[in-house]
């Protein structure tokens, strides 16, 4: 009875590829899981002590306040028009 491991006198060099393939699969799964968890920590749904990280723009803060119900739609649009004048694309040197 011949098996795959003893085909024509021995396994040959191909037997080394199986552990390498499994190692690549394990490393790939670990990498994907780590990147997913790391992105999840930075997501907007994460509850923190300070809801506004240091790099947020005023327009993003205004959007969050509107989404959470702190301000109504009229106040949102009024404040957004003021912020667009200061922080919009034209203020950064872009096209209006």
């Amino acid at each position: 009875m011949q098996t795959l491991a003893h085909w024509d006198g021995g396994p040959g060099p191909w037997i080394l590829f199986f552990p390498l393939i499994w190692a690549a699969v394990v490393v790939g799964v670990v990498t994907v899981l780590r990147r997913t968890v790391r992105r999840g920590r930075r997501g907007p749904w994460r509850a923190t002590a300070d809801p506004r990280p240091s790099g947020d723009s005023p327009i993003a803060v205004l959007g969050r306040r509107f989404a959470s119900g702190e301000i109504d739609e009229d106040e949102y649009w009024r404040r957004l028009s003021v912020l667009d004048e200061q922080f919009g694309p034209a203020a950064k040197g872009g096209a209006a």
Side-chain angles (χ1 to χ4, degrees):
M1 180 171 152
Q2 288 187 337
T3 63
L4 184 62
H6 296 291
W7 193 263
D8 286 337
W14 295 104
I15 196 76
L16 297 176
F17 283 113
F18 293 112
L20 292 176
I21 290 171
W22 279 111
V25 167
V26 169
V27 167
V29 167
V30 168
T31 302
V32 167
L33 288 176
R34 288 183 74 196
R35 292 184 79 178
T36 302
V37 168
R38 200 173 297 145
R39 281 191 185 134
R41 280 192 216 135
R42 288 183 278 162
W45 54 87
R46 185 183 77 153
T48 60
D50 183 18
R52 180 176 172 238
S54 61
D56 277 354
S57 71
I59 295 175
V61 173
L62 181 65
R64 268 199 303 280
R65 288 187 64 198
F66 176 63
S68 68
E70 292 180 35
I71 58 176
D72 63 352
E73 185 177 2
D74 293 331
E75 186 174 355
Y76 170 78
W77 287 112
R78 185 171 43 83
R79 290 183 183 207
L80 183 63
S81 66
V82 172
L83 289 175
D84 271 341
E85 293 173 5
Q86 295 176 356
F87 298 101
K92 295 179 182 173

